[in-house]
C-alpha cells in the first residue's frame, strides 16, 4: 500500500518515527492508552497513521467539526503546510530534526478525499500549537 506519509508520531526523540503503538495519554481520572489516528483512502491506497499524544483529544475537542471547512480549503492549506514541512525536513541542520524527520508525499494533483485532508490539516494545526511553530507564511519564522 502506498503511504501518504509513513507515520506522524511523537516519541522521546521526535514526532515522526515508525511505531506500532502510541504513548499513553495522561488523564487525571484514569490512565488510558491513546489509540493512533488512522487516516486512509482505500480507493487511492494512501494512509496516514498519527501517533502523537494529545492529537486524538485535540481532534475530538478543539478542532472544528468535519464539514466546517471545504475540501478545497483543506487541500490549499495542506499544500502550503506540506511544502513548508518538507523544506524543513530536508534541512535538518537549520530546523529541528526531531520534529521534521520525514518528508510528506502529498500531491495537490491527487484527490485524497475529505477525511484525509481534514485529518492531515488538523494534525498540522495541532503540531503548530503543541510545538509552538508556524507552518504558514514565513518558512524561517519559527522552528
Amino acid at each position: 500500500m502506498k503511504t501518504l506519509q509513513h507515520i506522524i508520531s511523537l516519541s522521546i526523540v521526535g514526532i515522526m518515527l515508525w511505531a506500532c503503538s502510541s504513548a499513553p495519554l495522561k488523564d487525571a481520572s484514569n490512565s488510558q492508552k491513546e489509540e493512533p489516528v488512522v487516516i486512509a483512502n482505500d480507493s487511492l491506497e494512501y494512509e496516514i497513521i498519527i501517533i502523537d499524544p494529545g492529537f486524538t483529544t485535540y481532534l475530538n475537542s478543539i478542532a472544528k467539526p468535519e464539514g466546517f471547512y471545504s475540501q478545497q480549503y483543506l487541500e490549499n492549506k495542506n499544500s502550503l503546510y506540506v511544502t513548508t514541512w518538507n523544506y524543513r525536513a530536508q534541512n535538518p541542520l537549520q530546523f529541528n530534526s526531531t520534529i521534521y524527520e520525514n518528508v510528506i508525499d502529498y500531491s495537490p494533483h491527487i484527490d485524497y478525499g475529505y477525511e484525509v485532508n481534514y485529518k492531515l490539516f488538523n494534525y498540522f494545526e495541532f503540531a503548530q500549537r503543541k510545538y509552538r511553530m508556524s507552518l504558514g507564511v514565513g518558512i524561517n519564522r519559527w522552528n
Side-chain angles (χ1 to χ4, degrees), residues 5 7-19 21 23 51-53 85 96-102 123 130-131:
Q5 177 181 4
I7 288 185
I8 299 176
S9 67
L10 176 63
S11 70
I12 295 172
V13 286
I15 66 166
M16 298 183 73
L17 298 173
W18 279 109
S21 64
I51 305 172
D52 195 338
W85 185 280
N96 187 340
S97 63
T98 61
I99 294 175
Y100 310 102
E101 288 189 20
N102 297 320
Y123 178 74
K130 184 172 182 176
Y131 302 109

Side-chain angles (χ1 to χ4, degrees), residues 46-80:
Y46 283 93
E47 179 179 72
I48 302 170
I49 301 172
I50 300 174
I51 305 172
D52 195 338
F55 179 63
T56 301
T57 301
Y58 174 87
L59 199 57
N60 294 327
S61 62
I62 297 172
K64 302 286 187 202
E66 285 191 43
F68 184 85
Y69 302 107
S70 70
Q71 184 169 334
Q72 183 177 2
Y73 175 84
L74 296 173
E75 289 170 346
N76 290 338
K77 293 297 278 189
N78 284 340
S79 290
L80 173 67

Side-chain angles (χ1 to χ4, degrees), residues 29-126:
S29 60
N30 60 22
S31 291
Q32 293 183 11
K33 186 175 183 179
E34 183 170 332
E35 295 298 318
V37 175
V38 178
I39 309 165
N41 182 325
D42 294 333
S43 64
L44 293 175
E45 298 182 354
Y46 283 93
E47 179 179 72
I48 302 170
I49 301 172
I50 300 174
I51 305 172
D52 195 338
F55 179 63
T56 301
T57 301
Y58 174 87
L59 199 57
N60 294 327
S61 62
I62 297 172
K64 302 286 187 202
E66 285 191 43
F68 184 85
Y69 302 107
S70 70
Q71 184 169 334
Q72 183 177 2
Y73 175 84
L74 296 173
E75 289 170 346
N76 290 338
K77 293 297 278 189
N78 284 340
S79 290
L80 173 67
Y81 289 162
V82 165
T83 299
T84 303
W85 185 280
N86 288 346
Y87 175 82
R88 293 176 182 181
Q90 294 168 345
N91 292 284
L93 297 177
Q94 187 177 1
F95 298 98
N96 187 340
S97 63
T98 61
I99 294 175
Y100 310 102
E101 288 189 20
N102 297 320
V103 170
I104 299 169
D105 181 20
Y106 180 90
S107 171
H109 306 293
I110 296 175
D111 179 3
Y112 297 103
Y114 189 86
E115 184 181 8
V116 170
N117 279 288
Y118 172 78
K119 290 183 179 173
L120 180 60
F121 167 80
N122 277 296
Y123 178 74
F124 287 132
E125 293 290 308
F126 165 78

